[in-house]
Amino acid sequence: MQESKIIKLSLLTALFLVNLESKELSEDVNLQKVVVSASGFEQEADSNLRNVISIEGKDLQNKGYTSLEQALERVAGINFVNFGLGRNIDLRGQGNKSNIAVKVMIDGRSINVLDNSHGVTPLQSVNLDNIERIEIVPGGGSVLYGNGTRGGAINIITKKQKEDALAFSVSGGGFDGGHLGGNFGLSGAKKIDENLAFSFDLQGFNKDGFQEGYNQKGYNINTKSYIDLSEDSDLTFTYNYFRTLNTSSGYLTKKQAQNNPSQKGNSENITQINRPELALNYHHYFNDFYEFSLETFWQNQKIHYLKDVSTMTSGGMSVPVYQNGSAFEDTLMGVNFKNKLNYANNSYFIFGYEFANHDAKRRSIIHYDVNVPMPPPNGFSMSHTMTTLMDMDKQSHSFFMLDSHEFNDFFTLSGGTRYEYSLYDTSRNYNSNMIMMGRPTNTKEFFNTDDTSHNLAFEITPNFTYSNTGKIYAKYERGFISPSPSQLVNKDQASQKYQSANLDPEVFDTFELGIDDFWWDFYGFNLSVFYTLSKDEISYLGNPHSTQGAFWKYYNIDETRRFGVELNLSQFFLNDALILKESLSYLDAKISKGINDGLKIPYVSKIKATTGVEYAFTNNFSSFVDLTYFSRAKDGGSIDEKTGKMSKNAWIKDYFLTDVGVNYHYKKLQVLAGIRNLFDKKYYTYQDSINDQYLVGNGRNYYVEFKYAF
C-alpha cells in the first residue's frame, strides 16, 4: 500500500508541474504526413484513394500506454476479442475469426501465427516506444497483402533514426489495491558517417496485472543499421528480440468476478516466450519513373508452458490436470519484391512477387490422475498421459499488381489483382499412455496429409475529388481466407481415426462507400459505409476435449454477412490548442444461411463510440480526456457436437472507459501522468457462461512516466 501511495503522490506532483516557469519555446515543425499501407510505398496521405487511419506513435506514447493492446483498445473502430486463448485485434466484426481475418504487420511483415486454433497474434512483442505510426486499412487489402484481410490490415511502422540521439525513460503504475509495475527504456542513434548509421531501443518491464497472480516481466531489443550504398539506394538491416515470462492464475467464476474481481483465479500458469526477428531491406530509386524494394526476413516465436495446472470436473469429481512441458513454435521466412512505376502525374503501377514459408509446431502434453480410495474391489485408480505432436507447414507464392490512374483533377480509378498458390503439409503424432487399475494401455497414431490451394483477389476503387479538401470513393473488393493447416485434419468419433478435411477457401465480397473532407479549416469529417458477404466460412463441430474420445470436423458453412457504418470527426480550435475528436462505429454481423441462420456472430459488439479532448494550456503543458464505449456482445454459448447448432449465447455486458492525463515538457525533460478507467468500471475481457469462466478487465489504475532526451 505504501508503494501505491507513492505512485499516486507522483501523479499529483506531475499535475502541479504547470506552475513551474519555463522559457523554452516549442519549435514549429511542419511534417507532411505519409502512409505506406495504401500502396506499399511511401506517399502523401492526401493521395490515398480510400480511408486509411494513421495514428502517430508520439500520440500513443504521450498518453502513457505501456502496451499496444492498451493503446489500440481506445482507437476508433478497433475491438479486441478473446475466445479463450488471449486477446486478438478485431476489425469489422470478425469475432472468433479475428486472428486469421485481420492481418497485423510490422513494417509490412505479417506477425499473425499459423496455428489458428491455438494462436494469438503476438501483440505484446511490439515495443510501443519504437512505433513511428500505425496505419489501419479497415475492410480490405487483399491485393497488396493477400490472405486474411476480410476485417482489414494494420501496419505498424517502426522508427527510423539516423541522426545522433540518446534518451531514456522510467515509468511506473499501479492499481487501487497495489499490483505495481514499471518500465525502463533506453534509446539512441549514432550517425557514424554520411553513409552509415545505427539505432537502438531497449525496453525492460516488470508489471503485475489487475488480477492476483498475474505478472509479466521481460525485455524488448530493437536495432536497425542503415547503409546508404549510393544517392539512390539504401540498405536497412533490422534485428528485434523479445523475451517475457508470464505468470497467470486463470479464470474466475461469475460469482468470484462480481464479489472480488482482482482475486486469484482457479489455475496456475507460467509461460515463457522468446521471439527473435531478422529483416534485410534493399530499396533502389532509379528515377522519378521507377523504384523497387526487395526484402527478406525471418521470424520465430517459441512459447513454453513451464507450468500449467487446471482442474477437470467429471461425474461430480474434480482432479488437477497438468500440461507442463507443452509448447508452441511459429516460424515465418519470406521474400517480398515490390516495384513501382510512376508513369504519369499522380498515376502509378505497382507489381510484385511474395514468397512465404510458414511453419508451426505444437507439443501438447496432458496428464491427470484419478484415485478413488475405497476397500477392494470398489477402489479405482487411473493415470493418463496424452501427447500430441503437430507439424504444420504452408508455403505460398503470390503475384500481384495494382494500378492507380488519375484521369483528371476530378476522377481517379484504382484497381488490381492478386494470385496466390499455396502448398500444405500437416502431420499429427498422437500417443496415449494409460494405466488403469495397474493395467497399462498404449495407443499410438500417426497421420499426414498435404493439399494445395489456388486463390484470386481483386479490387476496383473509383475516387471522385469534388473540392480541394474533399473526396468520395466507392470500392468493390473480392478477397479470400485460405484454410490453415490445422483445419485440414478431422477426427472421426466412431473410429477415433484422423481424416483429411475437404475444405474450400473462404471467399468474401466487400462493397464500400466513403467520404473524407476537412471543412472550414477546422472540421474533419470521415464516413464509411460497408457491406461484406462471406461465403464458405470455415467452422467446426465436435468436442476436441471429450472424455469419451476427442472428435471434430471442419467444414464450410454457407454464408455470413456484415453491415457497418464508421464515422470519425475532429475539430481544431484556438490555433490547434484545443482538439476534439469523436467516432462512432455501428456493426451488424450475422450468420445468413445454414443451421445458425439469423444468429449474431459471437464476440462482436454492435456499437463502439469514442470521444476525446486535448487541450494545450501552454506550449509545454497539455492534458487529455478520452472516453470509450463498447456495447454488449454475445459469447460463444454452446455448440451442438453433432449438428453445429449454436445456443445459449449469453450477453457480455457493455462498458465505458474514461482516461485522463497530462503531458509536461521542461527543456529536455518530459513528464506524463494520468489515470486509466477513472471511474473503476467492471467489465469482462473473456466470458464463457456455459462453463462459468470469466476474465476481468483492468480496474482503475495510475501511471507516471519521466523521459529525458540528451
Side-chain angles (χ1 to χ4, degrees), residues 36-39 50-54 91-92 102-103 105 134-142 144-145 149-155 459 475 477 512 566:
V36 301
S37 301
S39 67
R50 56 182 169 182
N51 292 337
V52 177
I53 301 171
S54 182
L91 289 169
R92 294 191 171 180
V102 177
K103 178 156 288 189
M105 300 170 287
I134 300 175
E135 299 173 0
I136 304 168
V137 185
S142 298
L144 284 178
Y145 302 116
T149 61
R150 182 175 61 210
I154 296 178
N155 194 9
E459 70 169 66
K475 186 193 76 168
E477 177 174 350
E512 183 175 338
E566 298 164 339

PDB file of all heavy atoms in Angstrom, residues 36-39 50-54 91-92 102-103 105 134-142 144-145 149-155 459 475 477 512 566:
ATOM      1  N   VAL A  36       2.236   4.231 -46.069  1.00  0.00           N
ATOM      2  CA  VAL A  36       2.766   3.216 -46.978  1.00  0.00           C
ATOM      3  C   VAL A  36       1.757   2.104 -47.221  1.00  0.00           C
ATOM      4  O   VAL A  36       1.870   1.355 -48.181  1.00  0.00           O
ATOM      5  CB  VAL A  36       4.082   2.608 -46.434  1.00  0.00           C
ATOM      6  CG1 VAL A  36       5.117   3.675 -46.235  1.00  0.00           C
ATOM      7  CG2 VAL A  36       3.833   1.853 -45.139  1.00  0.00           C
ATOM      8  N   SER A  37       0.752   1.969 -46.356  1.00  0.00           N
ATOM      9  CA  SER A  37      -0.128   0.808 -46.410  1.00  0.00           C
ATOM     10  C   SER A  37      -1.081   0.830 -47.600  1.00  0.00           C
ATOM     11  O   SER A  37      -1.628  -0.203 -47.973  1.00  0.00           O
ATOM     12  CB  SER A  37      -0.947   0.706 -45.114  1.00  0.00           C
ATOM     13  OG  SER A  37      -0.079   0.603 -44.006  1.00  0.00           O
ATOM     14  N   ALA A  38      -1.307   1.995 -48.203  1.00  0.00           N
ATOM     15  CA  ALA A  38      -2.231   2.067 -49.328  1.00  0.00           C
ATOM     16  C   ALA A  38      -1.616   1.558 -50.623  1.00  0.00           C
ATOM     17  O   ALA A  38      -2.320   1.092 -51.510  1.00  0.00           O
ATOM     18  CB  ALA A  38      -2.721   3.500 -49.514  1.00  0.00           C
ATOM     19  N   SER A  39      -0.284   1.643 -50.732  1.00  0.00           N
ATOM     20  CA  SER A  39       0.366   1.235 -51.981  1.00  0.00           C
ATOM     21  C   SER A  39       1.585   0.353 -51.772  1.00  0.00           C
ATOM     22  O   SER A  39       2.083  -0.231 -52.726  1.00  0.00           O
ATOM     23  CB  SER A  39       0.785   2.481 -52.773  1.00  0.00           C
ATOM     24  OG  SER A  39       1.815   3.179 -52.087  1.00  0.00           O
ATOM     25  N   ARG A  50      -8.711   5.768 -50.599  1.00  0.00           N
ATOM     26  CA  ARG A  50      -9.727   5.348 -49.643  1.00  0.00           C
ATOM     27  C   ARG A  50      -9.230   5.693 -48.250  1.00  0.00           C
ATOM     28  O   ARG A  50      -8.111   6.165 -48.068  1.00  0.00           O
ATOM     29  CB  ARG A  50     -10.006   3.852 -49.771  1.00  0.00           C
ATOM     30  CG  ARG A  50      -8.781   2.982 -49.620  1.00  0.00           C
ATOM     31  CD  ARG A  50      -9.142   1.536 -49.811  1.00  0.00           C
ATOM     32  NE  ARG A  50      -7.961   0.705 -49.924  1.00  0.00           N
ATOM     33  CZ  ARG A  50      -8.008  -0.592 -50.133  1.00  0.00           C
ATOM     34  NH1 ARG A  50      -9.160  -1.183 -50.252  1.00  0.00           N
ATOM     35  NH2 ARG A  50      -6.907  -1.297 -50.230  1.00  0.00           N
ATOM     36  N   ASN A  51     -10.064   5.436 -47.276  1.00  0.00           N
ATOM     37  CA  ASN A  51      -9.749   5.848 -45.915  1.00  0.00           C
ATOM     38  C   ASN A  51      -8.668   4.959 -45.311  1.00  0.00           C
ATOM     39  O   ASN A  51      -8.832   3.735 -45.201  1.00  0.00           O
ATOM     40  CB  ASN A  51     -11.005   5.792 -45.053  1.00  0.00           C
ATOM     41  CG  ASN A  51     -12.010   6.854 -45.462  1.00  0.00           C
ATOM     42  OD1 ASN A  51     -11.645   7.864 -46.053  1.00  0.00           O
ATOM     43  ND2 ASN A  51     -13.275   6.627 -45.158  1.00  0.00           N
ATOM     44  N   VAL A  52      -7.578   5.553 -44.940  1.00  0.00           N
ATOM     45  CA  VAL A  52      -6.521   4.891 -44.189  1.00  0.00           C
ATOM     46  C   VAL A  52      -6.336   5.686 -42.898  1.00  0.00           C
ATOM     47  O   VAL A  52      -6.005   6.865 -42.929  1.00  0.00           O
ATOM     48  CB  VAL A  52      -5.193   4.832 -44.971  1.00  0.00           C
ATOM     49  CG1 VAL A  52      -4.105   4.190 -44.111  1.00  0.00           C
ATOM     50  CG2 VAL A  52      -5.365   4.050 -46.266  1.00  0.00           C
ATOM     51  N   ILE A  53      -6.586   5.046 -41.766  1.00  0.00           N
ATOM     52  CA  ILE A  53      -6.440   5.712 -40.475  1.00  0.00           C
ATOM     53  C   ILE A  53      -4.969   5.664 -40.076  1.00  0.00           C
ATOM     54  O   ILE A  53      -4.376   4.586 -39.975  1.00  0.00           O
ATOM     55  CB  ILE A  53      -7.307   5.025 -39.410  1.00  0.00           C
ATOM     56  CG1 ILE A  53      -8.782   5.040 -39.831  1.00  0.00           C
ATOM     57  CG2 ILE A  53      -7.142   5.713 -38.058  1.00  0.00           C
ATOM     58  CD1 ILE A  53      -9.672   4.203 -38.944  1.00  0.00           C
ATOM     59  N   SER A  54      -4.381   6.820 -39.859  1.00  0.00           N
ATOM     60  CA  SER A  54      -2.974   6.902 -39.476  1.00  0.00           C
ATOM     61  C   SER A  54      -2.869   7.484 -38.070  1.00  0.00           C
ATOM     62  O   SER A  54      -3.378   8.577 -37.804  1.00  0.00           O
ATOM     63  CB  SER A  54      -2.197   7.774 -40.473  1.00  0.00           C
ATOM     64  OG  SER A  54      -0.821   7.817 -40.131  1.00  0.00           O
ATOM     65  N   LEU A  91     -11.416  -6.124 -36.426  1.00  0.00           N
ATOM     66  CA  LEU A  91     -11.944  -5.051 -37.254  1.00  0.00           C
ATOM     67  C   LEU A  91     -13.176  -5.561 -37.990  1.00  0.00           C
ATOM     68  O   LEU A  91     -13.171  -6.670 -38.529  1.00  0.00           O
ATOM     69  CB  LEU A  91     -10.906  -4.580 -38.284  1.00  0.00           C
ATOM     70  CG  LEU A  91      -9.687  -3.793 -37.771  1.00  0.00           C
ATOM     71  CD1 LEU A  91      -8.655  -3.646 -38.887  1.00  0.00           C
ATOM     72  CD2 LEU A  91     -10.116  -2.415 -37.292  1.00  0.00           C
ATOM     73  N   ARG A  92     -14.216  -4.790 -37.984  1.00  0.00           N
ATOM     74  CA  ARG A  92     -15.424  -5.066 -38.758  1.00  0.00           C
ATOM     75  C   ARG A  92     -16.030  -6.438 -38.469  1.00  0.00           C
ATOM     76  O   ARG A  92     -16.474  -7.148 -39.374  1.00  0.00           O
ATOM     77  CB  ARG A  92     -15.153  -4.887 -40.254  1.00  0.00           C
ATOM     78  CG  ARG A  92     -14.854  -3.431 -40.605  1.00  0.00           C
ATOM     79  CD  ARG A  92     -14.833  -3.169 -42.097  1.00  0.00           C
ATOM     80  NE  ARG A  92     -14.761  -1.719 -42.354  1.00  0.00           N
ATOM     81  CZ  ARG A  92     -14.731  -1.179 -43.567  1.00  0.00           C
ATOM     82  NH1 ARG A  92     -14.758  -1.964 -44.637  1.00  0.00           N
ATOM     83  NH2 ARG A  92     -14.689   0.141 -43.709  1.00  0.00           N
ATOM     84  N   VAL A 102      -7.891 -10.600 -39.672  1.00  0.00           N
ATOM     85  CA  VAL A 102      -7.298  -9.267 -39.555  1.00  0.00           C
ATOM     86  C   VAL A 102      -5.786  -9.445 -39.606  1.00  0.00           C
ATOM     87  O   VAL A 102      -5.205 -10.108 -38.744  1.00  0.00           O
ATOM     88  CB  VAL A 102      -7.706  -8.566 -38.243  1.00  0.00           C
ATOM     89  CG1 VAL A 102      -7.002  -7.216 -38.130  1.00  0.00           C
ATOM     90  CG2 VAL A 102      -9.218  -8.397 -38.161  1.00  0.00           C
ATOM     91  N   LYS A 103      -5.172  -8.877 -40.628  1.00  0.00           N
ATOM     92  CA  LYS A 103      -3.720  -9.044 -40.783  1.00  0.00           C
ATOM     93  C   LYS A 103      -2.996  -7.931 -40.040  1.00  0.00           C
ATOM     94  O   LYS A 103      -3.268  -6.741 -40.246  1.00  0.00           O
ATOM     95  CB  LYS A 103      -3.334  -9.043 -42.259  1.00  0.00           C
ATOM     96  CG  LYS A 103      -1.834  -9.161 -42.502  1.00  0.00           C
ATOM     97  CD  LYS A 103      -1.511  -9.731 -43.873  1.00  0.00           C
ATOM     98  CE  LYS A 103      -1.822 -11.205 -43.964  1.00  0.00           C
ATOM     99  NZ  LYS A 103      -1.309 -11.811 -45.213  1.00  0.00           N
ATOM    100  N   MET A 105       0.772  -6.358 -39.212  1.00  0.00           N
ATOM    101  CA  MET A 105       2.115  -6.353 -39.779  1.00  0.00           C
ATOM    102  C   MET A 105       3.012  -5.370 -39.048  1.00  0.00           C
ATOM    103  O   MET A 105       2.538  -4.388 -38.473  1.00  0.00           O
ATOM    104  CB  MET A 105       2.058  -5.970 -41.267  1.00  0.00           C
ATOM    105  CG  MET A 105       1.228  -6.900 -42.126  1.00  0.00           C
ATOM    106  SD  MET A 105       0.944  -6.246 -43.792  1.00  0.00           S
ATOM    107  CE  MET A 105      -0.245  -4.946 -43.440  1.00  0.00           C
ATOM    108  N   ILE A 134       0.979   4.013 -36.763  1.00  0.00           N
ATOM    109  CA  ILE A 134       0.196   2.815 -37.048  1.00  0.00           C
ATOM    110  C   ILE A 134      -0.811   3.168 -38.127  1.00  0.00           C
ATOM    111  O   ILE A 134      -1.558   4.138 -37.996  1.00  0.00           O
ATOM    112  CB  ILE A 134      -0.533   2.306 -35.791  1.00  0.00           C
ATOM    113  CG1 ILE A 134       0.482   1.962 -34.695  1.00  0.00           C
ATOM    114  CG2 ILE A 134      -1.382   1.082 -36.116  1.00  0.00           C
ATOM    115  CD1 ILE A 134      -0.171   1.573 -33.380  1.00  0.00           C
ATOM    116  N   GLU A 135      -0.821   2.403 -39.195  1.00  0.00           N
ATOM    117  CA  GLU A 135      -1.736   2.628 -40.303  1.00  0.00           C
ATOM    118  C   GLU A 135      -2.773   1.508 -40.335  1.00  0.00           C
ATOM    119  O   GLU A 135      -2.426   0.329 -40.347  1.00  0.00           O
ATOM    120  CB  GLU A 135      -0.977   2.701 -41.628  1.00  0.00           C
ATOM    121  CG  GLU A 135       0.018   3.846 -41.651  1.00  0.00           C
ATOM    122  CD  GLU A 135       0.918   3.856 -42.864  1.00  0.00           C
ATOM    123  OE1 GLU A 135       0.784   2.958 -43.727  1.00  0.00           O
ATOM    124  OE2 GLU A 135       1.759   4.762 -42.952  1.00  0.00           O
ATOM    125  N   ILE A 136      -4.032   1.898 -40.355  1.00  0.00           N
ATOM    126  CA  ILE A 136      -5.131   0.936 -40.303  1.00  0.00           C
ATOM    127  C   ILE A 136      -5.934   1.051 -41.589  1.00  0.00           C
ATOM    128  O   ILE A 136      -6.429   2.131 -41.937  1.00  0.00           O
ATOM    129  CB  ILE A 136      -6.038   1.204 -39.085  1.00  0.00           C
ATOM    130  CG1 ILE A 136      -5.207   1.175 -37.799  1.00  0.00           C
ATOM    131  CG2 ILE A 136      -7.169   0.189 -39.015  1.00  0.00           C
ATOM    132  CD1 ILE A 136      -5.941   1.706 -36.590  1.00  0.00           C
ATOM    133  N   VAL A 137      -6.052  -0.058 -42.314  1.00  0.00           N
ATOM    134  CA  VAL A 137      -6.858  -0.124 -43.531  1.00  0.00           C
ATOM    135  C   VAL A 137      -8.071  -0.986 -43.210  1.00  0.00           C
ATOM    136  O   VAL A 137      -7.999  -2.212 -43.271  1.00  0.00           O
ATOM    137  CB  VAL A 137      -6.073  -0.718 -44.712  1.00  0.00           C
ATOM    138  CG1 VAL A 137      -6.909  -0.661 -45.993  1.00  0.00           C
ATOM    139  CG2 VAL A 137      -4.753   0.015 -44.912  1.00  0.00           C
ATOM    140  N   PRO A 138      -9.202  -0.389 -42.816  1.00  0.00           N
ATOM    141  CA  PRO A 138     -10.362  -1.208 -42.454  1.00  0.00           C
ATOM    142  C   PRO A 138     -10.952  -1.905 -43.678  1.00  0.00           C
ATOM    143  O   PRO A 138     -11.088  -1.321 -44.746  1.00  0.00           O
ATOM    144  CB  PRO A 138     -11.363  -0.178 -41.890  1.00  0.00           C
ATOM    145  CG  PRO A 138     -10.567   1.064 -41.624  1.00  0.00           C
ATOM    146  CD  PRO A 138      -9.467   1.044 -42.632  1.00  0.00           C
ATOM    147  N   GLY A 139     -11.268  -3.188 -43.507  1.00  0.00           N
ATOM    148  CA  GLY A 139     -12.009  -3.921 -44.516  1.00  0.00           C
ATOM    149  C   GLY A 139     -11.330  -4.042 -45.857  1.00  0.00           C
ATOM    150  O   GLY A 139     -11.845  -3.591 -46.870  1.00  0.00           O
ATOM    151  N   GLY A 140     -10.179  -4.652 -45.891  1.00  0.00           N
ATOM    152  CA  GLY A 140      -9.575  -4.888 -47.194  1.00  0.00           C
ATOM    153  C   GLY A 140      -8.070  -4.871 -47.168  1.00  0.00           C
ATOM    154  O   GLY A 140      -7.433  -4.791 -46.125  1.00  0.00           O
ATOM    155  N   GLY A 141      -7.502  -4.953 -48.373  1.00  0.00           N
ATOM    156  CA  GLY A 141      -6.060  -5.046 -48.529  1.00  0.00           C
ATOM    157  C   GLY A 141      -5.635  -6.348 -49.153  1.00  0.00           C
ATOM    158  O   GLY A 141      -4.462  -6.703 -49.123  1.00  0.00           O
ATOM    159  N   SER A 142      -6.585  -7.085 -49.750  1.00  0.00           N
ATOM    160  CA  SER A 142      -6.271  -8.415 -50.282  1.00  0.00           C
ATOM    161  C   SER A 142      -5.277  -8.376 -51.433  1.00  0.00           C
ATOM    162  O   SER A 142      -4.453  -9.280 -51.574  1.00  0.00           O
ATOM    163  CB  SER A 142      -7.555  -9.117 -50.744  1.00  0.00           C
ATOM    164  OG  SER A 142      -8.450  -9.307 -49.683  1.00  0.00           O
ATOM    165  N   LEU A 144      -2.772  -6.175 -52.044  1.00  0.00           N
ATOM    166  CA  LEU A 144      -1.409  -5.917 -51.580  1.00  0.00           C
ATOM    167  C   LEU A 144      -0.944  -6.911 -50.525  1.00  0.00           C
ATOM    168  O   LEU A 144       0.237  -7.245 -50.463  1.00  0.00           O
ATOM    169  CB  LEU A 144      -1.300  -4.501 -51.024  1.00  0.00           C
ATOM    170  CG  LEU A 144      -1.246  -3.359 -52.041  1.00  0.00           C
ATOM    171  CD1 LEU A 144      -1.180  -2.032 -51.321  1.00  0.00           C
ATOM    172  CD2 LEU A 144      -0.071  -3.513 -52.988  1.00  0.00           C
ATOM    173  N   TYR A 145      -1.862  -7.396 -49.678  1.00  0.00           N
ATOM    174  CA  TYR A 145      -1.437  -8.167 -48.512  1.00  0.00           C
ATOM    175  C   TYR A 145      -1.947  -9.597 -48.490  1.00  0.00           C
ATOM    176  O   TYR A 145      -1.604 -10.357 -47.597  1.00  0.00           O
ATOM    177  CB  TYR A 145      -1.867  -7.427 -47.242  1.00  0.00           C
ATOM    178  CG  TYR A 145      -1.291  -6.039 -47.181  1.00  0.00           C
ATOM    179  CD1 TYR A 145      -2.115  -4.918 -47.216  1.00  0.00           C
ATOM    180  CD2 TYR A 145       0.088  -5.836 -47.140  1.00  0.00           C
ATOM    181  CE1 TYR A 145      -1.581  -3.641 -47.193  1.00  0.00           C
ATOM    182  CE2 TYR A 145       0.626  -4.568 -47.117  1.00  0.00           C
ATOM    183  CZ  TYR A 145      -0.214  -3.471 -47.146  1.00  0.00           C
ATOM    184  OH  TYR A 145       0.326  -2.210 -47.125  1.00  0.00           O
ATOM    185  N   THR A 149      -7.496 -10.739 -44.885  1.00  0.00           N
ATOM    186  CA  THR A 149      -7.696  -9.302 -44.656  1.00  0.00           C
ATOM    187  C   THR A 149      -9.168  -8.911 -44.746  1.00  0.00           C
ATOM    188  O   THR A 149      -9.481  -7.755 -45.041  1.00  0.00           O
ATOM    189  CB  THR A 149      -6.895  -8.458 -45.668  1.00  0.00           C
ATOM    190  OG1 THR A 149      -7.354  -8.758 -46.986  1.00  0.00           O
ATOM    191  CG2 THR A 149      -5.407  -8.750 -45.564  1.00  0.00           C
ATOM    192  N   ARG A 150     -10.083  -9.849 -44.490  1.00  0.00           N
ATOM    193  CA  ARG A 150     -11.508  -9.510 -44.573  1.00  0.00           C
ATOM    194  C   ARG A 150     -11.864  -8.377 -43.600  1.00  0.00           C
ATOM    195  O   ARG A 150     -12.618  -7.464 -43.931  1.00  0.00           O
ATOM    196  CB  ARG A 150     -12.354 -10.749 -44.275  1.00  0.00           C
ATOM    197  CG  ARG A 150     -13.860 -10.497 -44.383  1.00  0.00           C
ATOM    198  CD  ARG A 150     -14.635 -11.783 -44.192  1.00  0.00           C
ATOM    199  NE  ARG A 150     -14.388 -12.369 -42.877  1.00  0.00           N
ATOM    200  CZ  ARG A 150     -14.427 -13.669 -42.633  1.00  0.00           C
ATOM    201  NH1 ARG A 150     -14.673 -14.522 -43.613  1.00  0.00           N
ATOM    202  NH2 ARG A 150     -14.201 -14.125 -41.410  1.00  0.00           N
ATOM    203  N   GLY A 151     -11.326  -8.430 -42.400  1.00  0.00           N
ATOM    204  CA  GLY A 151     -11.567  -7.359 -41.443  1.00  0.00           C
ATOM    205  C   GLY A 151     -10.728  -6.134 -41.724  1.00  0.00           C
ATOM    206  O   GLY A 151     -11.135  -5.009 -41.425  1.00  0.00           O
ATOM    207  N   GLY A 152      -9.565  -6.335 -42.311  1.00  0.00           N
ATOM    208  CA  GLY A 152      -8.688  -5.217 -42.618  1.00  0.00           C
ATOM    209  C   GLY A 152      -7.239  -5.565 -42.342  1.00  0.00           C
ATOM    210  O   GLY A 152      -6.898  -6.712 -42.017  1.00  0.00           O
ATOM    211  N   ALA A 153      -6.392  -4.568 -42.493  1.00  0.00           N
ATOM    212  CA  ALA A 153      -4.956  -4.736 -42.271  1.00  0.00           C
ATOM    213  C   ALA A 153      -4.455  -3.612 -41.372  1.00  0.00           C
ATOM    214  O   ALA A 153      -4.898  -2.466 -41.485  1.00  0.00           O
ATOM    215  CB  ALA A 153      -4.199  -4.729 -43.596  1.00  0.00           C
ATOM    216  N   ILE A 154      -3.540  -3.964 -40.483  1.00  0.00           N
ATOM    217  CA  ILE A 154      -2.907  -2.993 -39.586  1.00  0.00           C
ATOM    218  C   ILE A 154      -1.405  -3.083 -39.790  1.00  0.00           C
ATOM    219  O   ILE A 154      -0.808  -4.154 -39.613  1.00  0.00           O
ATOM    220  CB  ILE A 154      -3.280  -3.263 -38.120  1.00  0.00           C
ATOM    221  CG1 ILE A 154      -4.788  -3.078 -37.912  1.00  0.00           C
ATOM    222  CG2 ILE A 154      -2.497  -2.354 -37.180  1.00  0.00           C
ATOM    223  CD1 ILE A 154      -5.246  -3.383 -36.501  1.00  0.00           C
ATOM    224  N   ASN A 155      -0.806  -1.980 -40.175  1.00  0.00           N
ATOM    225  CA  ASN A 155       0.628  -1.945 -40.446  1.00  0.00           C
ATOM    226  C   ASN A 155       1.303  -1.032 -39.431  1.00  0.00           C
ATOM    227  O   ASN A 155       1.016   0.173 -39.376  1.00  0.00           O
ATOM    228  CB  ASN A 155       0.882  -1.446 -41.876  1.00  0.00           C
ATOM    229  CG  ASN A 155       2.309  -1.702 -42.330  1.00  0.00           C
ATOM    230  OD1 ASN A 155       3.082  -2.387 -41.659  1.00  0.00           O
ATOM    231  ND2 ASN A 155       2.665  -1.159 -43.477  1.00  0.00           N
ATOM    232  N   GLU A 459      -9.716  -5.945 -56.809  1.00  0.00           N
ATOM    233  CA  GLU A 459     -10.456  -4.792 -56.294  1.00  0.00           C
ATOM    234  C   GLU A 459     -10.502  -3.705 -57.344  1.00  0.00           C
ATOM    235  O   GLU A 459      -9.655  -3.637 -58.244  1.00  0.00           O
ATOM    236  CB  GLU A 459      -9.814  -4.243 -55.020  1.00  0.00           C
ATOM    237  CG  GLU A 459      -8.481  -3.552 -55.237  1.00  0.00           C
ATOM    238  CD  GLU A 459      -8.013  -2.801 -54.000  1.00  0.00           C
ATOM    239  OE1 GLU A 459      -7.727  -3.442 -52.984  1.00  0.00           O
ATOM    240  OE2 GLU A 459      -7.917  -1.555 -54.085  1.00  0.00           O
ATOM    241  N   LYS A 475     -15.736   1.371 -53.414  1.00  0.00           N
ATOM    242  CA  LYS A 475     -14.802   0.254 -53.546  1.00  0.00           C
ATOM    243  C   LYS A 475     -15.548  -1.071 -53.619  1.00  0.00           C
ATOM    244  O   LYS A 475     -16.505  -1.299 -52.878  1.00  0.00           O
ATOM    245  CB  LYS A 475     -13.843   0.214 -52.347  1.00  0.00           C
ATOM    246  CG  LYS A 475     -12.747  -0.856 -52.489  1.00  0.00           C
ATOM    247  CD  LYS A 475     -12.007  -1.093 -51.181  1.00  0.00           C
ATOM    248  CE  LYS A 475     -12.854  -1.921 -50.221  1.00  0.00           C
ATOM    249  NZ  LYS A 475     -12.093  -2.403 -49.066  1.00  0.00           N
ATOM    250  N   GLU A 477     -14.291  -5.121 -53.513  1.00  0.00           N
ATOM    251  CA  GLU A 477     -13.129  -6.000 -53.327  1.00  0.00           C
ATOM    252  C   GLU A 477     -13.588  -7.431 -53.123  1.00  0.00           C
ATOM    253  O   GLU A 477     -14.527  -7.698 -52.375  1.00  0.00           O
ATOM    254  CB  GLU A 477     -12.309  -5.552 -52.119  1.00  0.00           C
ATOM    255  CG  GLU A 477     -11.129  -6.462 -51.812  1.00  0.00           C
ATOM    256  CD  GLU A 477     -10.238  -5.936 -50.697  1.00  0.00           C
ATOM    257  OE1 GLU A 477     -10.430  -4.767 -50.300  1.00  0.00           O
ATOM    258  OE2 GLU A 477      -9.369  -6.687 -50.234  1.00  0.00           O
ATOM    259  N   GLU A 512     -18.131  -0.894 -50.533  1.00  0.00           N
ATOM    260  CA  GLU A 512     -17.887   0.197 -49.587  1.00  0.00           C
ATOM    261  C   GLU A 512     -18.017   1.550 -50.262  1.00  0.00           C
ATOM    262  O   GLU A 512     -17.594   1.739 -51.412  1.00  0.00           O
ATOM    263  CB  GLU A 512     -16.490   0.046 -48.980  1.00  0.00           C
ATOM    264  CG  GLU A 512     -16.136   1.081 -47.926  1.00  0.00           C
ATOM    265  CD  GLU A 512     -14.795   0.809 -47.272  1.00  0.00           C
ATOM    266  OE1 GLU A 512     -14.327  -0.344 -47.310  1.00  0.00           O
ATOM    267  OE2 GLU A 512     -14.212   1.762 -46.729  1.00  0.00           O
ATOM    268  N   GLU A 566     -18.983   3.613 -40.251  1.00  0.00           N
ATOM    269  CA  GLU A 566     -17.866   4.133 -39.451  1.00  0.00           C
ATOM    270  C   GLU A 566     -17.773   5.646 -39.658  1.00  0.00           C
ATOM    271  O   GLU A 566     -17.608   6.114 -40.783  1.00  0.00           O
ATOM    272  CB  GLU A 566     -16.555   3.466 -39.865  1.00  0.00           C
ATOM    273  CG  GLU A 566     -16.558   1.963 -39.633  1.00  0.00           C
ATOM    274  CD  GLU A 566     -15.454   1.234 -40.369  1.00  0.00           C
ATOM    275  OE1 GLU A 566     -14.922   1.791 -41.360  1.00  0.00           O
ATOM    276  OE2 GLU A 566     -15.134   0.091 -39.978  1.00  0.00           O
TER     277      GLU A 566
END
